[in-house]
């Protein structure tokens, strides 16, 4: 059964308290385009950059970031073409990777940043780690398959046309994750849906560039990843038990890095764990951040 944003379930106290901790909004210019940031926690301290997945935005982390901000400065960005950031003529992954590291600096993180990326954002974060090894203290990748979509999938997506909806309520009621998953906590889905839309004058639309896929293609495909051997940071790979990545594939991905990643499994989580297992995700992230902080603390 899919639990959608319309389900009438009261939000628990931890969630209402988390989203009540409103972020500070900032902007930074990266390669001529504005990149929007949400920031929590004390500026000028060690910090974390949160990187969303494809067609998502920084608001997907609104209930996660405050639970990490007691110990770290937390910065979530909208990659260009997403959320409230600029639309570009092209979206090379290297450009997105540079936006991640620019967000760390503009968001007030002191020293090298930890970077946590979900799905497509995990791929982007891995490229950021390879391009900026001196600036990254640790990398967490969440259920990213590190595989390009098939030609058939690309063709199907290119044939879709963006839709507009007459009211905010109607478009929010259409909110679904891609890929779909069996369980979405309704209060999380509702909040994310409300942060995912904008009034475009002739109705309501989603906050992502509808031409994004076309603008990512080169010769009809998304360019494959280059080598990740330059990644010098510690890497944790979180495989979601009910997500997109098999145990075998997770181990293959772990071996792509200069130092093989540690693989952990998030029990009962779908591909979007912030939507169905947010507290388990937070516990895992807090654990690895505390471990890395302890390792890096001068004796």
């Amino acid at each position: 059964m899919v639990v959608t944003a319309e389900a009438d379930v009261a939000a628990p106290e931890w969630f209402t308290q988390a989203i009540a901790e409103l972020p500070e909004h900032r902007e930074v210019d990266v390669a001529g385009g504005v990149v929007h940031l949400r920031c929590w926690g004390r500026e000028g301290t060690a910090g974390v950059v949160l990187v969303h997945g494809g067609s998502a935005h920084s608001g997907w982390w609104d209930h996660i970031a405050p639970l990490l901000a007691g110990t770290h400065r937390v910065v979530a960005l909208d990659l260009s073409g997403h959320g409230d950031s600029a639309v570009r003529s092209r979206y090379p992954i290297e450009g997105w990777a540079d936006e991640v590291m620019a967000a760390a600096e503009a968001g007030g993180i002191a020293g090298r940043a930890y970077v946590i990326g979900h799905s497509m954002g995990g791929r982007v974060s891995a490229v950021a780690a390879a391009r900026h090894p001196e600036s990254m203290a640790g990398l967490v990748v969440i259920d990213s398959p590190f595989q390009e979509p098939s030609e058939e999938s690309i063709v199907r997506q290119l044939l879709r046309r963006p839709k507009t909806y007459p009211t905010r309520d109607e478009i929010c009621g259409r909110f679904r994750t891609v890929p779909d998953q069996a369980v979405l906590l309704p209060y999380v889905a509702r909040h994310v849906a409300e942060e995912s839309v904008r009034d475009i004058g002739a109705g309501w639309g989603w906050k992502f560039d509808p031409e994004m896929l076309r603008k990512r293609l080169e010769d009809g495909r998304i360019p494959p990843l280059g080598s990740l051997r330059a990644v010098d940071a510690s890497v944790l790979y979180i495989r979601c038990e009910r997500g997109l990545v098999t145990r075998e594939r997770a181990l293959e991905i772990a071996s792509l890095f200069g130092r093989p990643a540690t693989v952990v499994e998030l029990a009962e989580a779908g591909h979007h764990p912030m939507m169905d297992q947010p507290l388990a995700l937070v516990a895992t992230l807090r654990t690895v951040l505390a471990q890395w902080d302890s390792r890096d603390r001068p004796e």
Side-chain angles (χ1 to χ4, degrees):
M1 174 182 175
V2 174
V3 180
T4 69
E6 293 80 14
D8 185 17
V9 176
E13 184 177 3
W14 74 263
F15 178 83
T16 57
Q17 289 180 346
I19 62 171
E21 294 186 31
L22 299 178
E24 173 194 354
H25 294 268
R26 292 188 179 184
E27 293 182 343
V28 58
D29 186 283
V30 182
V34 169
V35 174
H36 169 251
L37 316 176
R38 301 179 191 222
C39 308
W40 296 259
R42 188 158 61 92
E43 186 171 6
T45 59
V48 178
V49 181
L50 301 175
V51 188
H52 61 76
S55 301
H57 55 82
S58 58
W60 282 58
W61 302 104
D62 277 355
H63 59 302
I64 303 294
L67 302 182
L68 305 177
T71 54
H72 295 81
R73 176 70 165 176
V74 182
V75 178
L77 77 156
D78 294 331
L79 297 170
S80 56
H82 297 78
D84 295 314
S85 289
V87 171
R88 299 190 189 271
S89 60
R90 303 289 300 172
Y91 297 108
I93 196 168
E94 295 81 5
W96 278 338
D98 292 347
E99 292 173 9
V100 170
M101 303 319 298
E105 181 176 358
I109 291 174
R112 298 186 302 153
Y114 300 122
V115 178
I116 299 170
H118 169 242
S119 193
M120 186 195 79
R123 182 185 176 104
V124 171
S125 300
V127 174
R131 286 172 64 82
H132 304 277
E134 73 291 345
S135 300
M136 192 172 296
L139 170 65
V140 179
V141 177
I142 303 172
D143 213 56
S144 176
F146 280 39
Q147 292 174 324
E148 295 76 41
S150 66
E151 290 185 14
E152 294 80 4
S153 175
I154 290 173
V155 169
R156 286 197 304 271
Q157 292 181 61
L158 289 175
L159 290 175
R160 295 174 185 164
R161 292 293 175 261
K163 295 181 180 179
T164 59
Y165 300 85
T167 67
R168 187 169 182 262
D169 283 346
E170 182 172 346
I171 190 172
C172 287
R174 298 279 184 166
F175 177 81
R176 298 292 187 276
T177 59
V178 179
D180 207 350
Q181 66 185 48
V183 175
L184 301 179
L185 296 176
Y187 43 90
V188 176
R190 186 181 308 115
H191 174 80
V192 171
E194 290 171 350
E195 294 289 315
S196 299
V197 301
R198 63 162 57 99
D199 186 346
I200 58 176
W204 288 80
W206 302 107
K207 281 187 176 181
F208 60 82
D209 183 356
E211 293 293 308
M212 189 181 313
L213 176 59
R214 182 182 61 79
K215 294 177 180 179
R216 292 180 64 195
L217 298 179
E218 295 181 13
D219 299 322
R221 64 172 187 160
I222 294 174
L225 281 179
S227 173
L228 299 176
R229 293 296 176 188
V231 176
D232 189 48
S234 296
V235 182
L236 176 70
Y237 188 93
I238 298 176
R239 174 186 174 265
C240 295
E241 184 180 18
R242 302 186 186 281
L244 296 181
V245 180
T246 65
R247 290 190 177 94
E248 293 75 19
R249 178 58 183 161
L251 294 175
E252 291 174 1
I253 293 169
S255 70
L256 298 177
F257 298 94
R259 286 187 281 168
T262 299
V263 178
V264 299
E265 186 168 288
L266 204 59
E268 293 296 316
H271 176 62
H272 311 276
M274 64 285 291
M275 290 282 190
D276 65 352
Q277 294 291 338
L279 294 181
L281 175 62
V282 167
T284 303
L285 296 177
R286 281 176 169 174
T287 299
V288 71
L289 292 174
Q291 181 183 35
W292 287 346
D293 281 343
S294 176
R295 172 203 64 190
D296 295 338
R297 188 179 301 124
E299 296 184 1

